[in-house]
Amino acid sequence: MEVPAVSLPVVQLAAGASPSPSPSGSTAPAVPSIQDAQESATNAASWVEQNWSTWLAMGLQVLLVLVVAITLRAVVRRAITKLIDRMTRTAQAADGSALSGLLVNVERRRQRAAAIGSVLRSVASFLILGTAALMVLSTFRINLAPLLASAGVAGVAIGFGARNLVTDFLSGVFMILEDQYGVGDTIDAGVASGEVIEVGLRVTKLRGDSGEIWYVRNGEVKRIGNLSQGWATAGVDVTVKASEDLDKVKATLDEVAEKMSKEEPWNELLWSPVEVLGLDSVLIDSMVVRLSARTMPGKSVTVERELRWRVKRAFDAASIRIVGGATAVEDQESPDPSAAVAAPSVYSNAASPQAEAAAPITSQRSVPK
């Protein structure tokens, strides 16, 4: 076994020899003896022996907290993912009818599920890891009251400073959870309207009718009109003369509606038969007949245009005249405006009444003296 090297002054001190004074005459500092070193080592060993159990308990407690937190976080995140997948599969399985299959498209369902899953996973991770961090700090006997107070004050300050951001985020979360609209829907958000191309927790992107892209903050949306959920209504008003035969008008419109409902692609766009609701208004010289039908969401304008086209052609074939509006009047023969105009030959005679009336200055005729 190796013997540790001992310095010469220590050996001399152990032998009882007094240390020699330094050449400058000053006294050198006292060097601890071997007994002092052994006593210090013994004290340190006894302190470690007395506290090692506490250290081990604290380390095991911290390790247990971290293991439980990580395991719980993984389990919760996996459960959330499975829940979102199950909701998506359930919605797909429920799409048995044509109506339910067209309410929510695949991209909308995917983005909504991804957004909800992301929010739930983030909230779960924050709560679990935050609680674990506080438990670890409390294990080391750290007073958490000042820390929690400071965090509360900082949270209040951040909440006041970024209240718009918090409002946008919370509005986006509830909008996604309630499925108010999604990708592919045509909505009227008040501040802008158009087709939804992206749904976020803070901002929703809309493409307007002219191709422009609107970035709408979710916190600014006070009301939403979704034109793509459920079904749309196509309404057409046909104004005819008051003297037309109503039975003939109704028979012609019924024929147009029945023929249109059997042809593609209108048989898919029409979700109910085209109904002749009857006279919407009757005036002295005209009457308005209203047609209505339920259509696929967002296709009401297309159906209305096609229906007007077919009605016009059918009325022309049946000699039913469509007038220009609710206050249309019979065409009356107006007099020829050129009848009151004299022939050009009249103006060639300077003495004619027409020529004298058209002359800007009437010449004074000389009176004979």
Side-chain angles (χ1 to χ4, degrees):
M1 182 177 67
E2 296 182 0
V3 179
V6 182
S7 60
L8 181 59
V10 174
V11 174
Q12 294 176 354
L13 184 61
S18 60
S20 59
S22 60
S24 59
S26 61
T27 304
V31 179
S33 61
I34 297 179
Q35 290 80 4
D36 296 337
Q38 291 179 350
E39 184 178 357
S40 299
T42 303
N43 294 334
S46 61
W47 184 81
V48 171
E49 183 179 0
Q50 293 174 359
N51 296 277
W52 73 271
S53 58
T54 304
W55 291 355
L56 181 61
M58 293 174 59
L60 292 177
Q61 187 175 355
V62 170
L63 181 61
L64 180 62
V65 169
L66 294 179
V67 170
V68 171
I70 294 174
T71 305
L72 182 61
R73 177 175 176 269
V75 171
V76 171
R77 289 173 64 91
R78 186 175 180 181
I80 292 173
T81 303
K82 287 188 175 181
L83 177 61
I84 297 301
D85 294 340
R86 183 176 299 177
M87 291 173 57
T88 304
R89 290 195 300 268
T90 303
Q92 292 176 352
D95 293 343
S97 61
L99 175 61
S100 59
L102 292 172
L103 287 179
V104 183
N105 55 34
V106 178
E107 181 64 17
R108 171 181 175 178
R109 186 182 296 112
R110 185 192 64 80
Q111 288 202 6
R112 178 171 176 263
I116 294 176
S118 176
V119 171
L120 294 179
R121 284 190 291 267
S122 299
V123 172
S125 298
F126 177 78
L127 293 177
I128 294 174
L129 296 181
T131 305
L134 294 178
M135 293 178 65
V136 169
L137 293 177
S138 63
T139 303
F140 290 104
R141 305 294 189 272
I142 298 177
N143 188 10
L144 299 179
L147 181 62
L148 295 177
S150 302
V153 173
V156 171
I158 294 175
F160 277 109
R163 57 184 180 275
N164 292 332
L165 181 62
V166 175
T167 303
D168 296 340
F169 180 81
L170 293 178
S171 300
V173 170
F174 285 105
M175 178 270 300
I176 293 175
L177 292 177
E178 296 173 358
D179 193 20
Q180 298 177 5
Y181 56 84
V183 175
D185 288 354
T186 301
I187 66 172
D188 182 3
V191 294
S193 60
E195 181 182 356
V196 180
I197 60 177
E198 184 177 343
V199 178
L201 293 177
R202 193 183 68 88
V203 175
T204 298
K205 290 184 182 180
L206 304 177
R207 184 174 295 278
D209 297 334
S210 301
E212 70 276 8
I213 296 180
W214 298 95
Y215 294 85
V216 181
R217 288 170 42 196
N218 296 328
E220 293 182 350
V221 179
K222 303 302 180 183
R223 52 95 174 162
I224 298 174
N226 196 326
L227 306 179
S228 300
Q229 286 184 350
W231 42 265
T233 302
V236 176
D237 293 336
V238 182
T239 305
V240 297
K241 295 171 59 177
S243 59
E244 295 290 346
D245 186 3
L246 288 178
D247 295 334
K248 182 179 180 181
V249 172
K250 188 177 185 305
T252 305
L253 293 177
D254 290 338
E255 182 181 357
V256 171
E258 183 179 0
K259 184 178 180 181
M260 183 176 177
S261 301
K262 295 180 180 179
E263 295 182 359
E264 294 183 355
W266 310 110
N267 55 354
E268 296 181 358
L269 300 182
L270 288 171
W271 287 2
S272 70
V274 180
E275 298 180 0
V276 181
L277 301 181
L279 291 177
D280 189 65
S281 63
V282 179
L283 301 178
I284 297 176
D285 46 19
S286 65
M287 55 185 177
V288 178
V289 183
R290 176 175 288 273
L291 290 82
S292 178
R294 289 185 179 182
T295 67
M296 180 187 300
K299 299 297 182 181
S300 59
V301 177
T302 305
V303 174
E304 289 175 358
R305 291 171 179 171
E306 180 66 18
L307 192 56
R308 292 191 187 98
W309 182 281
R310 291 172 179 260
V311 168
K312 179 62 172 66
R313 296 182 62 179
F315 277 15
D316 290 343
S319 300
I320 300 175
R321 186 177 179 183
I322 299 178
V323 295
T327 58
V329 296
E330 292 282 349
D331 292 340
Q332 300 178 356
E333 295 183 359
S334 59
D336 187 5
S338 62
V341 180
S345 59
V346 178
Y347 293 99
S348 61
N349 185 5
S352 64
Q354 289 84 357
E356 291 181 358
I361 300 178
T362 304
S363 58
Q364 298 293 334
R365 295 183 179 181
S366 59
V367 180
K369 296 182 180 179

